[in-house]
Amino acid sequence: MLSSAVTIVLFMVGVAMVLDQIGIALGPLLASAGVVGLAIGFGAQSLVADYLSGLLIMVEDQYGVGDSVDLGEAVGEVEHVGLRLTHVRDLNGGLWHIRNGEILRVRNDSQEWARAVLDVAVAHDADLDTVYRVLEATGRALREEPEFADALLEDPAVWGVQSLDADGVLVRLAVKTVPLQQWGVTRELRRRVKEALDEEGIEIPFPRRTVWVRTDGREAEPDALTG
């Protein structure tokens, strides 16, 4: 960018010196160029906004090539960052061309650290202390694995009950990870938690229905059934 700016300035100075040597007055020419430049500036405000936004994106290091970002409708991996356009490749392989002036907010999943969050649903009659113990033990075992030791920045922690649903209780497990590793860690945690819960006999909730039957043995009326 700086090289291009210096090249343009040197070119303009060189042209001005050549015109001065051949006897062409620079005053009227510069005045006309100023008017033309002003008209172009008013007509290309969006283009100027794109270039200024691209310059700020680079200076502030909001994202770079290879980062996983969310730019609104465009979510994926950054393939190119220019002064006017940003190219993002989404999960389906589509290439998005986004004008930098239209980018209002950026979520970057590739900077500093990330977090893997897993919500585990258990039945209402499950012992939560046992569930907490199983989740914590599963998380610690995962961090001790050589394959995932470098991906996890801390021991997984059970945050507690996230919600009470009609069919079960939702318990949240979270761990800080290296950027871009949170999805793989979440998938592996989900598999190991499923196996650990099965070994402990803790059921994953499923929809239940209660049917009331008349005590005299006759078939219940439709309005006597609840579900």
Side-chain angles (χ1 to χ4, degrees):
M1 181 182 63
L2 293 176
S3 177
S4 299
V6 171
T7 301
I8 293 173
V9 171
L10 292 178
F11 176 77
M12 294 177 62
V13 172
V15 171
M17 294 176 63
V18 171
L19 293 177
D20 183 62
Q21 291 296 322
I22 63 178
I24 298 179
L26 296 178
L29 186 62
L30 292 176
S32 300
V35 174
V36 173
L38 185 62
I40 294 176
F42 277 112
Q45 294 183 26
S46 60
L47 186 62
V48 174
D50 293 340
Y51 277 96
L52 290 177
S53 298
L55 179 61
L56 291 176
I57 288 173
M58 295 181 182
V59 172
E60 296 174 357
D61 192 25
Q62 297 180 15
Y63 54 81
V65 174
D67 287 353
S68 178
V69 298
D70 181 347
L71 304 181
E73 292 188 20
V75 180
E77 181 179 341
V78 178
E79 291 194 350
H80 171 75
V81 181
L83 286 176
R84 191 176 73 88
L85 293 175
T86 293
H87 298 168
V88 175
R89 182 80 61 178
D90 63 20
L91 183 62
N92 297 321
L95 184 62
W96 292 71
H97 301 260
I98 307 105
R99 289 172 41 205
N100 293 330
E102 294 181 341
I103 299 176
L104 302 180
R105 55 105 173 131
V106 177
R107 191 191 75 187
N108 193 333
D109 293 321
S110 306
Q111 291 182 342
E112 298 182 4
W113 57 273
R115 177 173 284 127
V117 179
L118 177 64
D119 289 334
V120 181
V122 297
H124 280 286
D125 56 359
D127 182 65
L128 291 182
D129 291 335
T130 303
V131 173
Y132 289 0
R133 176 178 55 80
V134 171
L135 295 181
E136 291 174 351
T138 304
R140 288 194 300 269
L142 179 63
R143 194 182 184 192
E144 294 173 358
E145 291 286 342
E147 182 181 355
F148 294 93
D150 295 334
L152 275 65
L153 301 179
E154 61 183 19
D155 288 334
V158 178
W159 285 5
V161 176
Q162 184 67 16
S163 65
L164 297 174
D165 300 330
D167 300 324
V169 180
L170 206 63
V171 180
R172 174 160 292 183
L173 176 68
V175 59
K176 188 181 292 186
T177 70
V178 174
L180 301 183
Q181 297 296 320
Q182 62 270 32
W183 302 295
V185 170
T186 302
R187 287 190 290 268
E188 183 64 18
L189 271 176
R190 187 178 293 113
R191 183 183 70 84
R192 293 179 178 235
V193 166
K194 170 64 168 59
E195 295 175 353
L197 292 179
D198 289 343
E199 291 179 359
E200 292 290 335
I202 299 176
E203 293 184 353
I204 294 177
F206 53 89
R208 300 185 180 185
R209 183 176 183 180
T210 302
V211 179
W212 296 88
V213 181
R214 296 175 62 98
T215 57
D216 55 7
R218 291 185 299 172
E219 183 178 357
E221 297 295 333
D223 58 356
L225 299 178
T226 61

